[in-house]
Amino acid sequence: FLFFLKLANKTKGKLQKQICQVVLDHFEKQYTTELGDTWTSVRDVLTYPFCWQYAILLNKFSQSAELENTLRVKGYHPAFQGPLPYLPALLKCYIRKTPGRFPAQKHRAGELKEYYLLNAASLLPVLALEVKDGEDVLDLCAAPGGKSVAILQCAYPGNFHCNEYDDLRSRRLKQTIESFIPDPLIKFIVVSKLDGRQIGDLKPELYDKVLVDAPCSNDRSWLFSSDTQQATLRVIQRKELPSLQFQLLRSAIKALRPGGSLVYSTCTLSRAENSDVINLILNSCSNIMPVDISEMAKAVSQEFTFLSGTQQHELLVLPEKGRAWGPMYVAKLKKM
């Protein structure tokens, strides 16, 4: 018993060294104000990666009954089983109650992967977008590509435009698409490296659905920044993110056809990057209306914990022990 206790303390010590104190102190100050007592339990999950959970999104283009059987044997079950407003039959995602990570598959040229590991909350923006066959879709900030892959599990867009401005991330996006999507379908996917703030002017009213999974202060990864100087710079530059997110949203609205829908998402708890950005858009764009997504939230409330008091067009997934998904903010808008 003493041996295991020493081992646990040693592991805990190593883990503590990995946490970036600069970021934690910043989060402590902001989120104690914004989340109150809830922040304590959220912080416990975020600062302890051993309790994080990972979902397995199956690839319909490389189906394996054997894989599904293996997952069930290992205690996995389908993530989305409730009466969701939108749940395509071919979108299959498996989760389990206990933490642990299924082995990742390596990229092999000419060979499709069978599954994609992700935070299950990452699929909520895709479900909120409700893509139908034949619709023209823009994924404005698409890297690393998990949501793009998920969209293609749901439907066959008429035109699918995946954009990523950052060069390194764009290469990763291309590799992800090559790993999951067969050649005949790849021909219908456009991958670009445009500045997302300019796409609306370059391609006005071209899309039926737009996903803006915006660059944000990624709470999970920022907490474990190994470079203290970089982390300090990130914290300083954090206040500039809402302006960028607002500009990306304005661009996305221009790119959207009248009657089209837009989903905005981030993986941060920050109110300034979430509700405040959406409120600013709603107050400054007379042709944009909020869309109620509360039914979707109700349908998945068994698996996810949501912040209470949000408006009907938005939700915020809070990491919680036993349901260690998120953070994930989702808001849905429609262009009139």
mmCIF file of all heavy atoms in Angstrom, residues 276-318:
data_model
loop_
_atom_site.group_PDB
_atom_site.id
_atom_site.type_symbol
_atom_site.label_atom_id
_atom_site.label_comp_id
_atom_site.label_asym_id
_atom_site.label_seq_id
_atom_site.Cartn_x
_atom_site.Cartn_y
_atom_site.Cartn_z
ATOM 1 N N ASP A 276 -20.367 37.143 -24.876
ATOM 2 C CA ASP A 276 -20.169 38.565 -25.195
ATOM 3 C C ASP A 276 -19.997 38.774 -26.702
ATOM 4 O O ASP A 276 -20.512 39.750 -27.260
ATOM 5 C CB ASP A 276 -18.942 39.111 -24.453
ATOM 6 C CG ASP A 276 -19.180 39.265 -22.959
ATOM 7 O OD1 ASP A 276 -20.313 39.007 -22.511
ATOM 8 O OD2 ASP A 276 -18.227 39.625 -22.235
ATOM 9 N N VAL A 277 -19.280 37.857 -27.366
ATOM 10 C CA VAL A 277 -19.073 37.960 -28.808
ATOM 11 C C VAL A 277 -20.404 37.783 -29.545
ATOM 12 O O VAL A 277 -20.728 38.543 -30.464
ATOM 13 C CB VAL A 277 -18.042 36.918 -29.303
ATOM 14 C CG1 VAL A 277 -17.939 36.912 -30.824
ATOM 15 C CG2 VAL A 277 -16.670 37.196 -28.707
ATOM 16 N N ILE A 278 -21.181 36.791 -29.118
ATOM 17 C CA ILE A 278 -22.478 36.529 -29.757
ATOM 18 C C ILE A 278 -23.442 37.691 -29.529
ATOM 19 O O ILE A 278 -24.160 38.112 -30.451
ATOM 20 C CB ILE A 278 -23.074 35.196 -29.243
ATOM 21 C CG1 ILE A 278 -22.232 34.006 -29.719
ATOM 22 C CG2 ILE A 278 -24.522 35.029 -29.690
ATOM 23 C CD1 ILE A 278 -22.167 33.831 -31.234
ATOM 24 N N ASN A 279 -23.466 38.237 -28.320
ATOM 25 C CA ASN A 279 -24.346 39.379 -28.026
ATOM 26 C C ASN A 279 -23.981 40.589 -28.881
ATOM 27 O O ASN A 279 -24.859 41.318 -29.364
ATOM 28 C CB ASN A 279 -24.265 39.745 -26.541
ATOM 29 C CG ASN A 279 -24.963 38.710 -25.667
ATOM 30 O OD1 ASN A 279 -25.834 37.985 -26.137
ATOM 31 N ND2 ASN A 279 -24.571 38.640 -24.397
ATOM 32 N N LEU A 280 -22.670 40.787 -29.074
ATOM 33 C CA LEU A 280 -22.209 41.904 -29.900
ATOM 34 C C LEU A 280 -22.668 41.739 -31.350
ATOM 35 O O LEU A 280 -23.107 42.704 -31.990
ATOM 36 C CB LEU A 280 -20.678 41.991 -29.831
ATOM 37 C CG LEU A 280 -20.019 43.241 -30.436
ATOM 38 C CD1 LEU A 280 -20.542 44.519 -29.798
ATOM 39 C CD2 LEU A 280 -18.505 43.153 -30.299
ATOM 40 N N ILE A 281 -22.599 40.512 -31.852
ATOM 41 C CA ILE A 281 -23.065 40.223 -33.220
ATOM 42 C C ILE A 281 -24.572 40.463 -33.333
ATOM 43 O O ILE A 281 -25.047 41.096 -34.282
ATOM 44 C CB ILE A 281 -22.713 38.762 -33.615
ATOM 45 C CG1 ILE A 281 -21.252 38.657 -34.065
ATOM 46 C CG2 ILE A 281 -23.635 38.221 -34.696
ATOM 47 C CD1 ILE A 281 -20.933 39.286 -35.413
ATOM 48 N N LEU A 282 -25.325 39.968 -32.372
ATOM 49 C CA LEU A 282 -26.783 40.115 -32.405
ATOM 50 C C LEU A 282 -27.203 41.587 -32.315
ATOM 51 O O LEU A 282 -28.187 42.002 -32.918
ATOM 52 C CB LEU A 282 -27.425 39.313 -31.271
ATOM 53 C CG LEU A 282 -27.410 37.790 -31.439
ATOM 54 C CD1 LEU A 282 -27.847 37.096 -30.151
ATOM 55 C CD2 LEU A 282 -28.301 37.355 -32.598
ATOM 56 N N ASN A 283 -26.415 42.365 -31.578
ATOM 57 C CA ASN A 283 -26.736 43.785 -31.421
ATOM 58 C C ASN A 283 -26.309 44.634 -32.612
ATOM 59 O O ASN A 283 -26.832 45.727 -32.821
ATOM 60 C CB ASN A 283 -26.086 44.339 -30.142
ATOM 61 C CG ASN A 283 -26.739 43.790 -28.886
ATOM 62 O OD1 ASN A 283 -27.914 43.463 -28.893
ATOM 63 N ND2 ASN A 283 -25.975 43.664 -27.811
ATOM 64 N N SER A 284 -25.349 44.122 -33.390
ATOM 65 C CA SER A 284 -24.816 44.936 -34.491
ATOM 66 C C SER A 284 -25.272 44.469 -35.880
ATOM 67 O O SER A 284 -25.082 45.188 -36.855
ATOM 68 C CB SER A 284 -23.280 44.942 -34.440
ATOM 69 O OG SER A 284 -22.765 43.640 -34.572
ATOM 70 N N CYS A 285 -25.870 43.284 -35.967
ATOM 71 C CA CYS A 285 -26.332 42.766 -37.269
ATOM 72 C C CYS A 285 -27.848 42.576 -37.245
ATOM 73 O O CYS A 285 -28.349 41.627 -36.621
ATOM 74 C CB CYS A 285 -25.637 41.438 -37.599
ATOM 75 S SG CYS A 285 -23.848 41.559 -37.715
ATOM 76 N N SER A 286 -28.556 43.437 -37.939
ATOM 77 C CA SER A 286 -30.029 43.387 -37.904
ATOM 78 C C SER A 286 -30.602 42.198 -38.676
ATOM 79 O O SER A 286 -31.769 41.838 -38.501
ATOM 80 C CB SER A 286 -30.609 44.690 -38.471
ATOM 81 O OG SER A 286 -30.139 44.881 -39.798
ATOM 82 N N ASN A 287 -29.771 41.575 -39.541
ATOM 83 C CA ASN A 287 -30.256 40.449 -40.353
ATOM 84 C C ASN A 287 -29.937 39.091 -39.723
ATOM 85 O O ASN A 287 -30.059 38.059 -40.370
ATOM 86 C CB ASN A 287 -29.658 40.509 -41.762
ATOM 87 C CG ASN A 287 -28.129 40.412 -41.763
ATOM 88 O OD1 ASN A 287 -27.482 40.693 -40.752
ATOM 89 N ND2 ASN A 287 -27.564 40.027 -42.898
ATOM 90 N N ILE A 288 -29.540 39.097 -38.454
ATOM 91 C CA ILE A 288 -29.179 37.850 -37.759
ATOM 92 C C ILE A 288 -30.119 37.610 -36.584
ATOM 93 O O ILE A 288 -30.394 38.512 -35.790
ATOM 94 C CB ILE A 288 -27.711 37.913 -37.260
ATOM 95 C CG1 ILE A 288 -26.743 37.918 -38.442
ATOM 96 C CG2 ILE A 288 -27.374 36.742 -36.338
ATOM 97 C CD1 ILE A 288 -26.801 36.691 -39.327
ATOM 98 N N MET A 289 -30.613 36.366 -36.500
ATOM 99 C CA MET A 289 -31.508 35.983 -35.408
ATOM 100 C C MET A 289 -30.936 34.793 -34.650
ATOM 101 O O MET A 289 -30.315 33.910 -35.252
ATOM 102 C CB MET A 289 -32.882 35.583 -35.971
ATOM 103 C CG MET A 289 -33.617 36.721 -36.656
ATOM 104 S SD MET A 289 -34.212 37.972 -35.492
ATOM 105 C CE MET A 289 -35.498 37.055 -34.639
ATOM 106 N N PRO A 290 -31.142 34.732 -33.326
ATOM 107 C CA PRO A 290 -30.699 33.559 -32.567
ATOM 108 C C PRO A 290 -31.595 32.360 -32.846
ATOM 109 O O PRO A 290 -32.780 32.518 -33.137
ATOM 110 C CB PRO A 290 -30.826 34.015 -31.107
ATOM 111 C CG PRO A 290 -31.864 35.089 -31.126
ATOM 112 C CD PRO A 290 -31.767 35.754 -32.469
ATOM 113 N N VAL A 291 -31.028 31.153 -32.784
ATOM 114 C CA VAL A 291 -31.787 29.913 -33.008
ATOM 115 C C VAL A 291 -31.759 29.084 -31.712
ATOM 116 O O VAL A 291 -30.692 28.840 -31.146
ATOM 117 C CB VAL A 291 -31.183 29.091 -34.174
ATOM 118 C CG1 VAL A 291 -31.949 27.780 -34.363
ATOM 119 C CG2 VAL A 291 -31.190 29.896 -35.459
ATOM 120 N N ASP A 292 -32.913 28.667 -31.271
ATOM 121 C CA ASP A 292 -33.050 27.885 -30.032
ATOM 122 C C ASP A 292 -32.410 26.500 -30.177
ATOM 123 O O ASP A 292 -32.787 25.725 -31.051
ATOM 124 C CB ASP A 292 -34.546 27.742 -29.710
ATOM 125 C CG ASP A 292 -34.809 27.109 -28.344
ATOM 126 O OD1 ASP A 292 -33.853 26.588 -27.730
ATOM 127 O OD2 ASP A 292 -35.970 27.134 -27.894
ATOM 128 N N ILE A 293 -31.412 26.181 -29.337
ATOM 129 C CA ILE A 293 -30.793 24.840 -29.353
ATOM 130 C C ILE A 293 -30.976 24.122 -28.001
ATOM 131 O O ILE A 293 -30.288 23.161 -27.698
ATOM 132 C CB ILE A 293 -29.288 24.892 -29.726
ATOM 133 C CG1 ILE A 293 -28.511 25.848 -28.816
ATOM 134 C CG2 ILE A 293 -29.106 25.268 -31.187
ATOM 135 C CD1 ILE A 293 -26.986 25.784 -28.996
ATOM 136 N N SER A 294 -31.952 24.607 -27.221
ATOM 137 C CA SER A 294 -32.159 24.027 -25.888
ATOM 138 C C SER A 294 -32.649 22.575 -25.952
ATOM 139 O O SER A 294 -32.356 21.778 -25.056
ATOM 140 C CB SER A 294 -33.145 24.880 -25.078
ATOM 141 O OG SER A 294 -34.388 24.991 -25.747
ATOM 142 N N GLU A 295 -33.375 22.219 -27.028
ATOM 143 C CA GLU A 295 -33.850 20.830 -27.149
ATOM 144 C C GLU A 295 -32.677 19.867 -27.335
ATOM 145 O O GLU A 295 -32.685 18.757 -26.813
ATOM 146 C CB GLU A 295 -34.827 20.702 -28.327
ATOM 147 C CG GLU A 295 -36.207 21.277 -28.060
ATOM 148 C CD GLU A 295 -36.886 20.690 -26.828
ATOM 149 O OE1 GLU A 295 -36.905 19.445 -26.699
ATOM 150 O OE2 GLU A 295 -37.362 21.473 -25.986
ATOM 151 N N MET A 296 -31.681 20.293 -28.085
ATOM 152 C CA MET A 296 -30.488 19.467 -28.259
ATOM 153 C C MET A 296 -29.786 19.273 -26.922
ATOM 154 O O MET A 296 -29.372 18.163 -26.569
ATOM 155 C CB MET A 296 -29.525 20.120 -29.262
ATOM 156 C CG MET A 296 -28.277 19.294 -29.531
ATOM 157 S SD MET A 296 -27.066 20.103 -30.618
ATOM 158 C CE MET A 296 -26.259 21.176 -29.430
ATOM 159 N N ALA A 297 -29.669 20.354 -26.164
ATOM 160 C CA ALA A 297 -29.016 20.273 -24.851
ATOM 161 C C ALA A 297 -29.766 19.319 -23.919
ATOM 162 O O ALA A 297 -29.154 18.506 -23.221
ATOM 163 C CB ALA A 297 -28.915 21.663 -24.236
ATOM 164 N N LYS A 298 -31.095 19.404 -23.940
ATOM 165 C CA LYS A 298 -31.910 18.505 -23.090
ATOM 166 C C LYS A 298 -31.679 17.049 -23.465
ATOM 167 O O LYS A 298 -31.575 16.171 -22.610
ATOM 168 C CB LYS A 298 -33.408 18.823 -23.264
ATOM 169 C CG LYS A 298 -33.912 19.942 -22.389
ATOM 170 C CD LYS A 298 -35.413 20.119 -22.606
ATOM 171 C CE LYS A 298 -35.836 21.543 -22.299
ATOM 172 N NZ LYS A 298 -37.170 21.835 -22.805
ATOM 173 N N ALA A 299 -31.610 16.785 -24.775
ATOM 174 C CA ALA A 299 -31.479 15.406 -25.266
ATOM 175 C C ALA A 299 -30.152 14.762 -24.880
ATOM 176 O O ALA A 299 -30.065 13.541 -24.798
ATOM 177 C CB ALA A 299 -31.646 15.383 -26.789
ATOM 178 N N VAL A 300 -29.118 15.574 -24.631
ATOM 179 C CA VAL A 300 -27.799 15.000 -24.291
ATOM 180 C C VAL A 300 -27.395 15.288 -22.839
ATOM 181 O O VAL A 300 -26.244 15.105 -22.459
ATOM 182 C CB VAL A 300 -26.699 15.508 -25.257
ATOM 183 C CG1 VAL A 300 -26.991 15.052 -26.680
ATOM 184 C CG2 VAL A 300 -26.555 17.027 -25.202
ATOM 185 N N SER A 301 -28.358 15.720 -22.038
ATOM 186 C CA SER A 301 -28.053 16.108 -20.653
ATOM 187 C C SER A 301 -27.613 14.931 -19.777
ATOM 188 O O SER A 301 -27.056 15.130 -18.701
ATOM 189 C CB SER A 301 -29.259 16.807 -20.021
ATOM 190 O OG SER A 301 -30.378 15.941 -20.022
ATOM 191 N N GLN A 302 -27.865 13.694 -20.235
ATOM 192 C CA GLN A 302 -27.394 12.519 -19.484
ATOM 193 C C GLN A 302 -25.876 12.392 -19.547
ATOM 194 O O GLN A 302 -25.248 11.878 -18.630
ATOM 195 C CB GLN A 302 -28.030 11.237 -20.046
ATOM 196 C CG GLN A 302 -29.512 11.081 -19.760
ATOM 197 C CD GLN A 302 -29.809 10.916 -18.278
ATOM 198 O OE1 GLN A 302 -29.167 10.145 -17.585
ATOM 199 N NE2 GLN A 302 -30.776 11.685 -17.795
ATOM 200 N N GLU A 303 -25.288 12.859 -20.638
ATOM 201 C CA GLU A 303 -23.844 12.691 -20.856
ATOM 202 C C GLU A 303 -23.031 13.954 -20.601
ATOM 203 O O GLU A 303 -21.834 13.879 -20.367
ATOM 204 C CB GLU A 303 -23.585 12.213 -22.297
ATOM 205 C CG GLU A 303 -24.242 10.887 -22.656
ATOM 206 C CD GLU A 303 -23.683 9.702 -21.871
ATOM 207 O OE1 GLU A 303 -22.670 9.864 -21.166
ATOM 208 O OE2 GLU A 303 -24.267 8.606 -21.963
ATOM 209 N N PHE A 304 -23.677 15.125 -20.671
ATOM 210 C CA PHE A 304 -22.941 16.382 -20.545
ATOM 211 C C PHE A 304 -23.521 17.250 -19.427
ATOM 212 O O PHE A 304 -24.720 17.239 -19.185
ATOM 213 C CB PHE A 304 -22.996 17.172 -21.857
ATOM 214 C CG PHE A 304 -22.401 16.438 -23.034
ATOM 215 C CD1 PHE A 304 -23.218 15.725 -23.907
ATOM 216 C CD2 PHE A 304 -21.033 16.450 -23.272
ATOM 217 C CE1 PHE A 304 -22.684 15.045 -24.993
ATOM 218 C CE2 PHE A 304 -20.486 15.775 -24.352
ATOM 219 C CZ PHE A 304 -21.307 15.063 -25.215
ATOM 220 N N THR A 305 -22.640 18.013 -18.795
ATOM 221 C CA THR A 305 -23.057 18.982 -17.784
ATOM 222 C C THR A 305 -22.999 20.368 -18.400
ATOM 223 O O THR A 305 -21.965 20.759 -18.961
ATOM 224 C CB THR A 305 -22.129 18.924 -16.555
ATOM 225 O OG1 THR A 305 -22.168 17.605 -16.011
ATOM 226 C CG2 THR A 305 -22.557 19.917 -15.496
ATOM 227 N N PHE A 306 -24.092 21.108 -18.323
ATOM 228 C CA PHE A 306 -24.158 22.437 -18.925
ATOM 229 C C PHE A 306 -24.236 23.521 -17.854
ATOM 230 O O PHE A 306 -24.835 23.322 -16.794
ATOM 231 C CB PHE A 306 -25.388 22.555 -19.833
ATOM 232 C CG PHE A 306 -25.370 21.613 -21.012
ATOM 233 C CD1 PHE A 306 -26.188 20.486 -21.038
ATOM 234 C CD2 PHE A 306 -24.529 21.846 -22.091
ATOM 235 C CE1 PHE A 306 -26.168 19.616 -22.118
ATOM 236 C CE2 PHE A 306 -24.503 20.990 -23.178
ATOM 237 C CZ PHE A 306 -25.323 19.870 -23.191
ATOM 238 N N LEU A 307 -23.649 24.673 -18.176
ATOM 239 C CA LEU A 307 -23.770 25.835 -17.302
ATOM 240 C C LEU A 307 -25.220 26.299 -17.314
ATOM 241 O O LEU A 307 -25.824 26.432 -18.380
ATOM 242 C CB LEU A 307 -22.851 26.958 -17.802
ATOM 243 C CG LEU A 307 -22.904 28.281 -17.026
ATOM 244 C CD1 LEU A 307 -22.309 28.113 -15.630
ATOM 245 C CD2 LEU A 307 -22.164 29.381 -17.792
ATOM 246 N N SER A 308 -25.781 26.523 -16.153
ATOM 247 C CA SER A 308 -27.172 26.990 -16.091
ATOM 248 C C SER A 308 -27.218 28.501 -16.318
ATOM 249 O O SER A 308 -26.226 29.205 -16.117
ATOM 250 C CB SER A 308 -27.783 26.655 -14.729
ATOM 251 O OG SER A 308 -27.033 27.280 -13.698
ATOM 252 N N GLY A 309 -28.367 28.969 -16.760
ATOM 253 C CA GLY A 309 -28.560 30.409 -16.934
ATOM 254 C C GLY A 309 -28.161 30.957 -18.288
ATOM 255 O O GLY A 309 -28.239 32.166 -18.507
ATOM 256 N N THR A 310 -27.734 30.079 -19.212
ATOM 257 C CA THR A 310 -27.406 30.559 -20.558
ATOM 258 C C THR A 310 -28.694 30.786 -21.347
ATOM 259 O O THR A 310 -29.755 30.277 -20.979
ATOM 260 C CB THR A 310 -26.511 29.558 -21.321
ATOM 261 O OG1 THR A 310 -27.152 28.285 -21.359
ATOM 262 C CG2 THR A 310 -25.142 29.427 -20.670
ATOM 263 N N GLN A 311 -28.597 31.513 -22.452
ATOM 264 C CA GLN A 311 -29.775 31.785 -23.275
ATOM 265 C C GLN A 311 -30.081 30.587 -24.176
ATOM 266 O O GLN A 311 -29.251 29.702 -24.348
ATOM 267 C CB GLN A 311 -29.531 33.055 -24.104
ATOM 268 C CG GLN A 311 -29.335 34.287 -23.225
ATOM 269 C CD GLN A 311 -29.106 35.548 -24.029
ATOM 270 O OE1 GLN A 311 -30.052 36.166 -24.534
ATOM 271 N NE2 GLN A 311 -27.865 35.949 -24.161
ATOM 272 N N GLN A 312 -31.278 30.568 -24.764
ATOM 273 C CA GLN A 312 -31.738 29.391 -25.516
ATOM 274 C C GLN A 312 -30.925 29.096 -26.769
ATOM 275 O O GLN A 312 -30.919 27.975 -27.253
ATOM 276 C CB GLN A 312 -33.216 29.551 -25.881
ATOM 277 C CG GLN A 312 -34.131 29.419 -24.677
ATOM 278 C CD GLN A 312 -35.589 29.453 -25.067
ATOM 279 O OE1 GLN A 312 -35.996 30.219 -25.938
ATOM 280 N NE2 GLN A 312 -36.396 28.610 -24.447
ATOM 281 N N HIS A 313 -30.237 30.108 -27.291
ATOM 282 C CA HIS A 313 -29.460 29.904 -28.514
ATOM 283 C C HIS A 313 -28.012 29.499 -28.231
ATOM 284 O O HIS A 313 -27.212 29.390 -29.147
ATOM 285 C CB HIS A 313 -29.468 31.181 -29.373
ATOM 286 C CG HIS A 313 -28.863 32.372 -28.676
ATOM 287 N ND1 HIS A 313 -29.612 33.220 -27.892
ATOM 288 C CD2 HIS A 313 -27.588 32.846 -28.624
ATOM 289 C CE1 HIS A 313 -28.829 34.159 -27.397
ATOM 290 N NE2 HIS A 313 -27.584 33.952 -27.827
ATOM 291 N N GLU A 314 -27.680 29.255 -26.955
ATOM 292 C CA GLU A 314 -26.300 28.934 -26.606
ATOM 293 C C GLU A 314 -26.247 27.865 -25.510
ATOM 294 O O GLU A 314 -27.224 27.626 -24.792
ATOM 295 C CB GLU A 314 -25.559 30.196 -26.138
ATOM 296 C CG GLU A 314 -26.188 30.828 -24.907
ATOM 297 C CD GLU A 314 -25.469 32.069 -24.395
ATOM 298 O OE1 GLU A 314 -24.394 32.432 -24.927
ATOM 299 O OE2 GLU A 314 -25.990 32.671 -23.431
ATOM 300 N N LEU A 315 -25.097 27.206 -25.418
ATOM 301 C CA LEU A 315 -24.848 26.272 -24.318
ATOM 302 C C LEU A 315 -23.348 26.244 -24.034
ATOM 303 O O LEU A 315 -22.535 26.563 -24.902
ATOM 304 C CB LEU A 315 -25.368 24.867 -24.652
ATOM 305 C CG LEU A 315 -24.868 24.163 -25.918
ATOM 306 C CD1 LEU A 315 -23.566 23.407 -25.659
ATOM 307 C CD2 LEU A 315 -25.925 23.183 -26.417
ATOM 308 N N LEU A 316 -23.015 25.903 -22.804
ATOM 309 C CA LEU A 316 -21.609 25.778 -22.404
ATOM 310 C C LEU A 316 -21.434 24.478 -21.629
ATOM 311 O O LEU A 316 -22.018 24.300 -20.563
ATOM 312 C CB LEU A 316 -21.191 26.977 -21.543
ATOM 313 C CG LEU A 316 -19.754 26.952 -20.996
ATOM 314 C CD1 LEU A 316 -18.731 26.924 -22.136
ATOM 315 C CD2 LEU A 316 -19.490 28.155 -20.083
ATOM 316 N N VAL A 317 -20.663 23.564 -22.196
ATOM 317 C CA VAL A 317 -20.382 22.278 -21.543
ATOM 318 C C VAL A 317 -19.301 22.488 -20.484
ATOM 319 O O VAL A 317 -18.217 23.011 -20.782
ATOM 320 C CB VAL A 317 -19.904 21.224 -22.565
ATOM 321 C CG1 VAL A 317 -19.581 19.910 -21.862
ATOM 322 C CG2 VAL A 317 -20.947 21.003 -23.645
ATOM 323 N N LEU A 318 -19.607 22.078 -19.260
ATOM 324 C CA LEU A 318 -18.656 22.185 -18.147
ATOM 325 C C LEU A 318 -18.044 20.822 -17.845
ATOM 326 O O LEU A 318 -18.771 19.842 -17.668
ATOM 327 C CB LEU A 318 -19.367 22.689 -16.891
ATOM 328 C CG LEU A 318 -20.020 24.071 -16.954
ATOM 329 C CD1 LEU A 318 -20.784 24.333 -15.657
ATOM 330 C CD2 LEU A 318 -18.982 25.163 -17.180
#
